[in-house]
Amino acid sequence: MVQNKETPMETDVSCNEVFQRESADYQDLSSKYRGDYENYSKQFAKIYTARISELSKVLTEKARKKWGTAKIMQLSELAECEDERCIIIGTLYKHQQNKPSILKELSEDEQLVLPVVKDDYCSDDDLVYLEDDTSRIKLVGNVNIKDTVTGVVCAVLGRQDQNSSFKVEEWCFPGCLPQEKISSPTKGKIVLISGLELATAEVNLELNLLVEWLCGMLGDSSTQKEGASVVRVIIAGNSIKGTSDSHVNKGLQGGKALDLAVTKEIAIGTKKMDDLLSELAKFCCVTLMPGQHDIATFMMPQKPLHSCMFPQSRRYNSVSGATNPWIGKIGNRLISGTSGQPIEDLIKVSGANYLSPIEWLERTLNWRHFCPTAPDTLPCYPYHEKDLFIMEECPNIYFAGNMNKFETKLWEGEDKQVVRLICIPKFSTTKTVVLVDLDTLETRTVSFGTS
């Protein structure tokens, strides 16, 4: 059989049967993340201004519907209406002494080593404030400090007390957007993978098994039929590396030696990734997202991995570079997600260990925002006209990559939205991928572990 050098093969072959590869229309809807936003003359505060400007309109309507005739007030008006029950709308700010601070680092003249990376930034002294364009006020009462994170726009019902704090009774968040109705089903399945970490992977039998399964060269007829049902593979970040390299106090020669070793490791990992993409591209379509530790822009949104890194696979139209976050449409299904940085950062700033990553993923849907902690603790570009991380549509499938374990939930909203939430496990440690049916949204894992 002749293999097309530009498009994936249409069939998977077994000894007795030929299976037609399923196909589906594909649209990348992430063009807004590909623009040139590297204008560092703008202040990061503009992001919060744009965020509250857009989401306060939604919250005003929701708050009036939820709380009736209670008056909506700006924070600057509260001093004249002490102890009056009212609604205020603003952006949450969580004051945390343990958060990373470049000013704090620069002020420590004797600092000779990098600051210790903390698992979370929480302490007993954390405080929660709500701020709008006029001022800021401390929130007390019905406030769970661990559940609260900086950057979330919300409305709260309560009253200002004698200590000039706002005593919260109830909360209201923007909520998930209405969902577009699907006129016809989408046949086929997608495979979600993250955390390949090829630079540090040794001989990877599990990855070879994955490739053979996707290419129809593994298992019996039913296994090959399932492989042929995959219309697209989405690789969600950290494909080359899974950790960042930092070294200090090694001296000139020691630092150069480490840099050389890291460069060699990255080159090997990139070559492995190019080989993998080239193999997959012959048989199925691939969307490749960057991750936190890949060779890509560090700030969110991350631009696609440059095609020059992959000289073999760049020849195939079936390989598509994508941004992080990514939004796309496969058939009639709207799919969006990230490579995991927003969820990891939410866990760090909250310290709420009783909440799982899938619960944080659900909350971002309710907050209507991909990366609420950007730019506070999650680096991002200094947008000033618009906050591009605000969700503008309700997805059918919403994922986060590079999680420690697989989690999924079929979320149902107040307006009958149905969203399949997925936490994709790291392949490097779990040897597991996620298979999603585009028609039914049924989800299961496929493991290639040898133990």
Side-chain angles (χ1 to χ4, degrees), residues 196-440:
L196 291 170
E197 301 179 17
L198 297 180
T200 53
E202 297 180 357
V203 178
N204 202 329
L205 175 60
E206 296 85 5
L207 187 60
N208 293 336
L209 291 174
L210 167 63
V211 173
E212 290 181 3
W213 172 64
L214 288 170
C215 298
M217 298 182 288
L218 182 70
D220 56 14
S221 296
S222 61
T223 302
Q224 292 186 3
K225 184 177 181 180
E226 182 178 64
S229 69
V230 175
V231 298
R232 183 165 288 269
V233 177
I234 299 173
I235 304 177
N238 288 0
S239 301
I240 298 171
K241 294 210 68 176
T243 57
S244 294
D245 296 288
S246 60
H247 48 269
V248 292
N249 298 333
K250 296 293 184 181
L252 182 61
Q253 295 301 321
K256 284 186 174 181
L258 284 173
D259 286 337
L260 184 62
V262 169
T263 302
K264 184 177 180 180
E265 188 178 68
I266 290 173
I268 292 172
T270 304
K271 177 63 168 59
K272 288 181 180 179
M273 192 64 200
D274 192 21
D275 293 341
L276 172 64
L277 291 173
S278 299
E279 194 65 33
L280 290 177
K282 300 172 186 176
F283 296 90
C284 59
C285 297
V286 180
T287 294
L288 177 64
M289 298 170 58
Q292 179 180 1
H293 305 294
D294 284 328
I295 314 303
T297 51
F298 177 69
M299 291 184 170
M300 300 284 284
Q302 290 182 292
K303 305 294 176 64
L305 294 170
H306 203 287
S307 60
C308 290
M309 296 170 59
F310 312 112
Q312 297 181 75
S313 57
R314 65 183 296 186
R315 299 176 299 164
Y316 295 91
N317 293 332
S318 50
V319 177
S320 304
T323 60
N324 174 33
W326 173 75
I327 305 167
K329 206 166 188 179
I330 300 178
N332 290 325
R333 293 295 190 183
L334 187 66
I335 304 171
S336 62
T338 70
S339 294
Q341 297 102 305
I343 303 304
E344 290 179 357
D345 199 61
L346 285 170
I347 294 171
K348 278 188 176 183
V349 300
S350 67
N353 297 326
Y354 53 87
L355 292 176
S356 65
I358 199 76
E359 290 175 292
W360 285 116
L361 191 65
E362 180 181 344
R363 290 188 179 203
T364 61
L365 201 61
N366 191 35
W367 296 335
R368 204 178 288 194
H369 203 279
F370 284 113
C371 312
T373 56
D376 185 50
T377 51
L378 187 66
C380 76
Y381 290 107
Y383 300 125
H384 58 280
E385 295 180 354
K386 184 178 177 62
D387 182 356
L388 299 186
F389 296 122
I390 294 175
M391 295 181 181
E392 298 177 339
E393 57 279 300
C394 176
N396 301 113
I397 299 170
Y398 180 37
F399 64 84
N402 294 289
M403 297 293 104
N404 291 327
K405 64 177 182 178
F406 166 73
E407 291 182 285
T408 187
K409 178 180 181 180
L410 195 63
W411 180 85
E412 297 183 12
E414 296 177 355
D415 298 324
K416 298 183 179 179
Q417 307 101 316
V418 177
V419 182
R420 171 59 72 178
L421 304 175
I422 302 171
C423 287
I424 311 170
K426 298 176 185 176
F427 189 85
S428 61
T429 55
T430 65
K431 313 304 179 185
T432 298
V433 302
V434 181
L435 186 68
V436 186
D437 190 308
L438 292 173
D439 182 19
T440 64

Side-chain angles (χ1 to χ4, degrees), residues 50-62:
R51 188 178 303 178
I52 193 173
S53 176
E54 183 169 345
L55 293 179
S56 61
K57 301 172 186 176
V58 178
L59 282 164
T60 298
E61 183 179 341
K62 287 198 68 174

Side-chain angles (χ1 to χ4, degrees), residues 120-134:
D120 65 68
Y121 309 140
C122 299
S123 73
D124 295 335
D125 299 323
D126 293 348
L127 299 172
V128 176
Y129 296 87
L130 191 76
E131 57 184 33
D132 62 12
D133 295 334
T134 62

